[in-house]
Amino acid sequence: MHNRSYLNILLNSMFISIDAYQMKTCQKNWTEKKKNQFYRLWIVNKGKLEIKYNNETYILNEKEMFLFRENEQYEAKALCDNTQFLYINFIVYDGISKDKKIDFIPVCGKKTYNEMKEETDLILKYQLSNPNPFYKPLKSFYSGALLIIISSYCEYLYKDKIYVSNNKITFEAPQISNIVKYINEHKGDRITTEFLSKKFNISQKTLYNQFKKHYNCSAHDYVWQTKIKYAIELIHSKKYSIKEIAFMVGYNDPKTFTSVFKRWMKVPPSKFNM
């Protein structure tokens, strides 16, 4: 097996729900053109497939696999008779809440048999010997197998770009990782986007775009979300006055802190814990 340095992180941060799982047999010139509703994994058991995806054409031979991202268009064609391939449609949820759908997995594309020999053999072996994958123990096995495969894709394609924080796996640019680390370590400082731009030698436009891409918010909002979370922790501790908390999150004026806190949390900090 490959190095599983990311597998535990993926297991803790992701929950996979299988929507469909079936071995399909088709004849030469069978075609399919559609837009994925789900993440989708195909593994060729016999024959040969042609896949057109993201303006590229791929040929899949026996025991080669292809991972599709959700909501993306593809075209597929069988290149010989009795082509047989396994397809799995699945949804990825947040591993903690298990009800929040997530789509941060950027991996896709073809993997050869040599690259993922053991994963391919394992999943095909269980499929061929167990025709009913929705028997509960087997469904759990396939969910686990998918996580192993995704972790292998991550390891092959993004091993130098993976950022780990709080037992979560993300694919941030290292520069953004450093900025996030700085924000979390300086919650008591006054931090502006202009300051971050100068300190990390990044334009404010790029700073905005990168935070939008990885956190779905601006850098300014991320700073305040971090400060508000810290303020809530301090309020729950019941050790500090509002004035002290305001100072600890970077404000000398409690009124300004109260105003900003109320804008975010809809109640003033003095009533948040009531």
Side-chain angles (χ1 to χ4, degrees):
M1 286 287 185
H2 303 295
N3 179 0
R4 297 293 177 229
S5 55
Y6 307 128
L7 181 56
N8 287 336
I9 298 164
L10 286 162
L11 286 168
N12 287 326
S13 63
M14 292 165 51
F15 170 75
I16 285 180
S17 175
I18 298 174
D19 178 76
Y21 194 112
Q22 186 175 340
M23 188 72 81
K24 182 180 181 68
T25 301
C26 49
Q27 303 307 311
K28 186 176 181 180
N29 294 326
W30 164 88
T31 60
E32 181 174 89
K33 181 178 180 179
K34 64 169 61 175
K35 187 174 184 178
N36 281 333
Q37 216 177 341
F38 310 95
Y39 286 102
R40 178 173 290 200
L41 180 73
W42 287 10
I43 305 176
V44 178
N45 186 49
K46 296 178 183 177
K48 186 180 292 188
L49 285 176
E50 177 187 272
I51 295 176
K52 293 182 179 180
Y53 184 76
N54 283 343
N55 299 315
E56 298 282 347
T57 299
Y58 303 86
I59 304 298
L60 265 64
N61 297 298
E62 289 186 8
K63 294 192 176 179
E64 293 184 335
M65 65 174 66
F66 198 95
L67 180 64
F68 302 85
R69 286 190 292 253
E70 63 178 356
N71 298 318
E72 292 195 353
Q73 188 81 26
Y74 71 88
E75 293 182 44
K77 181 169 70 173
L79 299 180
C80 55
D81 287 334
N82 298 317
T83 293
Q84 187 182 63
F85 66 96
L86 174 67
Y87 71 83
I88 312 169
N89 295 346
F90 60 98
I91 305 170
V92 184
Y93 293 97
D94 181 272
I96 298 174
S97 64
K98 294 191 176 181
D99 60 0
K100 180 183 177 184
K101 185 179 174 184
I102 56 177
D103 58 2
F104 66 81
I105 309 171
V107 291
C108 66
K110 172 184 171 180
K111 282 289 145 208
T112 67
Y113 180 54
N114 288 336
E115 286 174 321
M116 300 183 71
K117 181 178 184 297
E118 292 182 63
E119 291 87 343
T120 306
D121 286 345
L122 190 65
I123 203 164
L124 283 175
K125 174 184 175 183
Y126 272 79
Q127 163 60 24
L128 295 171
S129 61
N130 299 285
N132 181 9
F134 286 91
Y135 178 55
K136 190 172 181 179
L138 290 178
K139 192 171 181 181
S140 297
F141 164 80
Y142 290 123
S143 294
L146 280 170
L147 280 174
I148 291 174
I149 287 169
I150 291 170
S151 73
S152 296
Y153 269 80
C154 293
E155 192 167 352
Y156 279 120
L157 299 177
Y158 293 92
K159 62 183 178 181
D160 297 324
K161 302 175 184 177
I162 289 178
Y163 173 72
V164 178
S165 176
N166 298 324
N167 213 29
K168 294 278 186 174
I169 187 166
T170 59
F171 301 86
E172 302 166 334
Q175 188 177 34
I176 298 303
S177 302
N178 292 333
I179 295 172
V180 167
K181 182 179 179 182
Y182 181 88
I183 292 170
N184 284 307
E185 291 177 350
H186 295 81
K187 294 186 284 285
D189 296 348
R190 293 297 301 269
I191 301 174
T192 66
T193 54
E194 182 180 6
F195 168 81
L196 292 173
S197 176
K198 289 180 179 179
K199 181 173 179 61
F200 291 93
N201 193 28
I202 182 173
S203 72
Q204 291 196 50
K205 181 179 180 181
T206 300
L207 183 68
Y208 176 86
N209 290 338
Q210 288 295 311
F211 268 85
K212 271 291 183 180
K213 177 181 178 182
H214 296 295
Y215 293 97
N216 198 32
C217 68
S218 66
H220 175 270
D221 284 352
Y222 185 89
V223 168
W224 262 105
Q225 288 172 16
T226 303
K227 286 178 177 289
I228 293 296
K229 288 177 184 177
Y230 183 44
I232 290 171
E233 290 177 14
L234 296 172
I235 291 170
H236 283 163
S237 74
K238 299 182 179 180
K239 296 179 180 179
Y240 308 99
S241 67
I242 299 303
K243 182 178 180 179
E244 289 173 320
I245 293 172
F247 180 78
M248 292 169 76
V249 297
Y251 274 83
N252 294 326
D253 180 7
K255 291 183 179 179
T256 303
F257 166 70
T258 296
S259 176
V260 175
F261 188 97
K262 186 175 180 180
R263 188 168 75 241
W264 279 87
M265 303 307 298
K266 310 305 179 187
V267 293
S270 58
K271 296 184 179 180
F272 185 79
N273 209 28
M274 295 177 64

